[in-house]
Amino acid sequence: MDVKATLDALKREAKEAITAIEKMHELNDVKAKYLGKKGPFADIMKLMRDVPNDEKPLFGKTVNEAKQVILQWLDEARERLVQAQIQAQLDKETIDVTLPGKKFELGTTHLLTQMVEDVEDLLIGMGYQVMEGPEVEQEEYNFEKLNLPQDHPARDMQDSFYISDSTLLRTHTSPVQVRTMLQYGGTKPVKIICPGKVYRRDDDDATHSHQFMQIEGLVVDEHTSMADLKGTLLEIANTLFGEGRDIRLRPSYFPFTEPSVEVDVSCHNCNGKGCHICKGTGWIEILGAGMVHNNVLEASGYDSTKYRGFAFGIGVERLAMLKYGINDIRMFYTNDIRFNRQFKK
Ligand code: DAH
């Protein structure tokens, strides 16, 4: 038998089989068929017995070379399959750069945050510091030290959510006045604002919300006067309602201030002539304020014969409603996107 011819025929056949391979698993089948234990090479090696001794090395070498060649073809086929796989993957994942892009809509700051930020910007520029206080508050700070002792009738004005006998959700941001003065130790001047959430046991309707926002302001110094308060409030009114506003102070009552005032701003809608927003009066009430009551100064560690202060409390929702003609306070909290997106900053 001509071994060389047999091997050549075998190689030809193997080459054809390898070239036809299209899948990885076929590669293994072909390898097993030609190079496996029961394959043609096993039979050929059996012929070794009949080969004269001196020709045995050459015979072995020839057979081995044929095996190596087939192995190499198999390797090449494997490489070809791997490349084809990668190419197929790449083809599948190509990006169609001509497709229109996805549009991302930019969100906007909530209207209430915008109002707070406007006031903060103004007052920080005037040297105020922004403070924070806890929303879960002690009665002592929320009422007592603000000159609202137990059984004071004015406590009824602020129906409260109690958590325990002496702990409640703060009904206003005014307790931050007390906290700040105590923290300052009765010796340093105070100039702070505190924006934040407050809570009252109200039934929610178009004008009431059990949770709303206030901005508290407090200035304590040796020569603080009502004129300073008025000047500050005028600036705030102009910031919130536009340049050219006028303000007026009306006597009022708050337990923590004496004298107390309610502050009106000239109507931004009709410029004071009278319209539906100002209910024909030309004025809109925007906040409560006053000179800090001596009892509050003393309870907070400030000598009331030396220090005087003014304070103000702004209801943020009310202002936003007046400014933009919003007629339902619940709009701020139901987060209808169609509402929110009207107030892009
Ligand atoms: N705390 C008052 C309220 O919630 C608002 C207020 C009025 C705050 C007068 C003040 C002030 O600081 O001086 O009704």
Side-chain angles (χ1 to χ4, degrees), residues 267-287:
C267 181
H268 60 289
N269 190 50
C270 61
N271 219 1
K273 286 200 257 322
C275 68
H276 68 286
I277 289 189
C278 58
K279 302 209 177 81
T281 65
W283 294 94
I284 295 171
E285 183 199 321
I286 56 164
L287 54 86

Side-chain angles (χ1 to χ4, degrees), residues 105 108 336-344:
E105 200 170 340
T108 181
D336 185 330
I337 204 82
R338 292 166 303 180
F339 174 77
N340 289 348
R341 70 155 60 105
Q342 288 179 56
F343 304 101
K344 289 231 156 108

Side-chain angles (χ1 to χ4, degrees), residues 112 208 253:
L112 294 178
H208 295 85
Y253 172 75

Side-chain angles (χ1 to χ4, degrees), residues 189-260:
V190 179
K191 205 170 176 186
I192 59 117
I193 48 168
C194 169
K197 295 201 262 297
V198 302
Y199 303 84
R200 297 212 188 150
R201 233 177 45 194
D202 271 326
D203 289 328
D204 291 359
D205 61 25
T207 52
H208 295 85
S209 172
H210 63 282
Q211 180 210 301
F212 57 100
M213 287 195 80
Q214 290 188 334
I215 305 173
E216 191 78 17
L218 172 69
V219 173
V220 179
D221 208 338
E222 292 183 25
H223 305 287
T224 310
S225 75
M226 198 90 180
D228 299 322
L229 172 61
K230 191 171 180 191
T232 307
L233 296 177
L234 183 60
E235 289 299 325
I236 294 176
N238 278 317
T239 298
L240 288 173
F241 288 97
E243 291 298 316
R245 298 294 104 221
D246 201 1
I247 58 168
R248 69 175 186 191
L249 309 187
R250 279 182 291 109
S252 183
Y253 172 75
F254 299 106
F256 27 88
T257 44
E258 179 58 38
S260 302

Side-chain angles (χ1 to χ4, degrees), residues 305-319:
T305 61
K306 198 170 161 205
Y307 284 96
R308 304 199 315 149
F310 69 72
F312 55 87
I314 307 175
V316 184
E317 283 81 354
R318 209 188 113 70
L319 284 198

Side-chain angles (χ1 to χ4, degrees), residues 110 112-113 116 120 130-137 142 158 161 168-176 193-200 209-216 314-317 332-333 335:
H110 194 277
L112 294 178
T113 312
V116 169
E120 277 180 0
V130 179
M131 302 292 278
E132 274 184 28
E135 289 173 24
V136 176
E137 185 53 285
N142 195 81
Q158 303 189 354
F161 288 113
L168 72 167
L169 296 182
R170 68 178 177 196
T171 56
H172 50 179
T173 43
S174 300
V176 181
I193 48 168
C194 169
K197 295 201 262 297
V198 302
Y199 303 84
R200 297 212 188 150
S209 172
H210 63 282
Q211 180 210 301
F212 57 100
M213 287 195 80
Q214 290 188 334
I215 305 173
E216 191 78 17
I314 307 175
V316 184
E317 283 81 354
F332 296 112
Y333 295 103
N335 276 328

